[in-house]
Amino acid sequence: MGWRAVKDNEDYRSVADAVAEEIRSGVLRPGDRLPPQRAFAKRHGIADSTATRVYRELARRGLTVGEVGRGTFVRAAADGPAPALTEPAAVGRIDLELNYPAVPGQSELLAEGLGGLLRPDALGQALRPVGTFGLPAVQESAAGILARGGWRPDPERILFAGNGRQALSAVVAALVPPGGRLGVEELTYPVIKAVAARLGVTLVPLAMDEDGLVPQAVADAHATAPLHAVYVQPRVHNPLSLTMPEPRIERLAEVLLRLGLPAVEDAVWAFLRDELPPLAACAPERTVLIDSLSKRIAPGLTLGFAVTPPALTAVVSASLRAGGWTPMRFALEAAHRWQQEGTVRRLVAAKQREAAVRQEIAARHLAGFAVRGDGRSYHCWWELPRPWRADTFVAAAARHGIAVVPAAAFTVAAHHAPPAVRLGLATPGPDVLAQALTTLAGLARSAPEDLVAD
């Protein structure tokens, strides 16, 4: 590959700079495979450990991507999907990246519940400040919103945040000190990575299998170096679209209780499987459940929930106040009215039906591929056929005007991203979704080298 020798075998940044320059100048092109780390170290006369740091630095800069069992490759684009096909882009952009479900008549249904709230006297009350505990009547309504599978939270244990991400940030800040260790599923919600980086928290990837997080992986990681908490998505996991079976939930609860570890349960998508109780029902004294209204009702309605064990209520409330993450009273009042009038229940039922329709579309148009999707989920996980890599496929899809998310966005250890993508099914209309999936299936059946522009 013609890399210049770097004499200082301890200065991994100099080696990384040399490789980065070759990528920038075009000597190394998108899709080129870097040698195994041991061969790289020998070529440059550096230690194997230094080569490992070089590869991590290149991945951190967004210049390379690693895939399990395949190696490390130059990214198709450092700052996002780049054109990679000779075919012209589709008119407009089909968004299979963002994932906010909506159903016909949603706005009209929500508007009906706001009529009384817009009277001057009611509006005056709704625009006053409110604390993290909200109001007793709203806590009762929130308990009804969050109830599922025979479980109903204690209204007095419900705290409110401006949105779900704020609730997540506050809970992590309350449970994990700077420099502390938070166990997370090895494929996880990308926002937890940003939250951890901002709070100075170290994420510890935990092994998964076809049933979700492996409880023994929690115990093993804690034995290696103590964890402060575990973040988990037991129901309708993002991005894998899987739901833990009950025996797995029970086993995880046993491990948490035995180790005395708190869990942060992300239940934002769990309303789609409201027949199933949460992890918080099995380990109520160790679990903080977070949720929001953005998926259940509408993305523009920002209201987050944190259901806390009694021992953690005060510290989570203090964290919400310290972060400036307290809720808006107008959103609390609106949610209360929608719950009392049955609007939330009708929207949830409609979104569950619509998710099933979209999963059927995905199953039909991606038949024959390795696609995982809960029958009532708004996203699916696609393990791409060889020789496709995730970043190259994302670039190819973008050339056709379709936005999808590569596996690297969800991996805790970026250099171990599998060749897979997540497809969000919520945003396009059904006909457009079918068109996009047909296009993606055609791409997947083609050889990448046949599609790269000269």
Side-chain angles (χ1 to χ4, degrees):
M1 295 185 182
W3 285 319
R4 63 181 177 85
V6 178
K7 302 300 183 182
D8 183 1
N9 64 3
E10 296 303 321
D11 189 358
Y12 73 95
R13 290 187 180 87
S14 296
V15 184
D17 290 342
V19 179
E21 175 58 27
E22 300 233 346
I23 293 173
R24 187 199 63 78
S25 65
V27 175
L28 288 172
R29 298 180 58 81
D32 284 351
R33 182 177 180 176
L34 273 62
Q37 291 182 22
R38 183 168 295 178
F40 182 92
K42 184 176 180 180
R43 177 175 300 179
H44 289 280
I46 60 177
D48 289 353
S49 60
T50 303
T52 298
R53 298 181 71 187
V54 171
Y55 276 46
R56 287 177 180 170
E57 176 66 13
L58 292 170
R60 186 191 68 79
R61 298 184 191 182
L63 298 175
T64 62
V65 61
E67 296 186 359
V68 178
R70 302 195 64 203
T72 300
F73 299 85
V74 177
R75 289 183 63 90
D79 296 316
L85 306 185
T86 56
E87 298 296 328
V91 177
R93 179 178 183 270
I94 301 176
D95 189 354
L96 304 186
E97 187 174 28
L98 296 178
N99 209 27
Y100 290 100
V103 292
Q106 175 172 302
S107 297
E108 292 80 2
L109 188 61
L110 294 173
E112 292 175 7
L114 292 180
L117 188 56
L118 299 181
R119 295 196 321 266
D121 57 333
L123 185 60
Q125 288 291 326
L127 296 180
R128 297 180 63 184
V130 69
T132 59
F133 287 88
L135 305 165
V138 179
Q139 286 181 308
E140 286 287 345
S141 290
I145 292 173
L146 301 175
R148 54 186 171 89
W151 171 83
R152 188 178 190 275
D154 180 351
E156 294 184 357
R157 301 274 75 83
I158 299 176
L159 303 175
F160 299 95
N163 57 48
R165 295 183 180 190
Q166 292 178 1
L168 174 59
S169 298
V171 172
V172 173
L175 299 181
V176 187
R181 288 162 46 90
L182 175 65
V184 297
E185 294 142 320
E186 58 187 348
L187 289 163
T188 191
Y189 177 42
V191 168
I192 191 65
K193 298 195 290 183
V195 168
R198 180 164 48 82
L199 296 175
V201 168
T202 299
L203 295 183
V204 180
L206 303 173
M208 305 179 71
D209 60 17
E210 65 276 5
D211 288 334
L213 177 63
V214 177
Q216 186 59 41
V218 177
D220 292 344
H222 190 62
T224 300
L227 300 173
H228 289 85
V230 175
Y231 168 83
V232 62
Q233 302 172 80
R235 310 299 192 186
V236 192
H237 181 276
N238 180 18
L240 295 180
S241 188
L242 58 80
T243 289
M244 285 187 184
E246 293 311 301
R248 175 61 59 86
I249 289 276
E250 293 169 1
R251 175 59 182 147
L252 178 59
E254 291 172 2
V255 170
L256 294 171
L257 293 171
R258 174 167 56 84
L259 299 177
L261 273 176
V264 183
E265 178 178 7
D266 190 333
V268 167
W269 284 109
F271 74 94
L272 295 170
R273 297 296 306 270
D274 60 359
E275 80 280 12
L276 300 174
L279 172 65
C282 292
E285 62 271 48
R286 304 305 310 170
T287 306
V288 180
L289 181 144
I290 60 171
D291 205 335
S292 80
L293 294 184
S294 61
K295 313 293 188 183
R296 188 185 268 103
I297 295 183
L301 182 72
T302 59
L303 183 62
F305 308 93
V307 181
T308 58
L312 296 175
T313 301
V315 68
V316 174
S317 178
S319 182
L320 284 166
R321 294 193 303 271
W325 295 320
T326 52
M328 295 185 296
R329 182 163 174 169
F330 185 89
L332 289 174
E333 295 282 5
H336 172 62
R337 289 171 181 264
W338 286 326
Q339 174 65 10
Q340 294 299 107
E341 295 170 4
T343 301
V344 176
R345 175 181 51 79
R346 291 194 290 273
L347 275 178
V348 165
K351 291 187 177 185
Q352 290 172 342
R353 292 192 296 269
E354 183 66 16
V357 169
R358 290 167 182 268
Q359 284 289 344
E360 190 279 328
I361 292 172
R364 184 168 69 250
H365 290 277
L366 299 178
F369 292 106
V371 178
R372 173 190 295 156
D374 187 297
R376 277 165 44 185
S377 168
Y378 275 96
H379 54 270
C380 57
W381 183 252
W382 186 0
E383 297 178 0
L384 298 168
R386 292 180 179 273
W388 281 104
R389 302 195 317 276
D391 62 323
T392 309
F393 189 81
V394 169
R399 180 70 174 182
H400 283 268
I402 304 170
V404 300
V405 189
F410 304 96
T411 55
V412 179
H415 56 289
H416 288 303
V421 295
R422 191 203 72 173
L423 305 179
L425 309 178
T427 303
D431 291 342
V432 176
L433 176 63
Q435 170 195 338
L437 295 178
T438 298
T439 300
L440 295 178
L443 285 177
R445 293 188 182 100
S446 303
E449 56 268 24
D450 294 340
L451 301 171
V452 177
D454 296 332

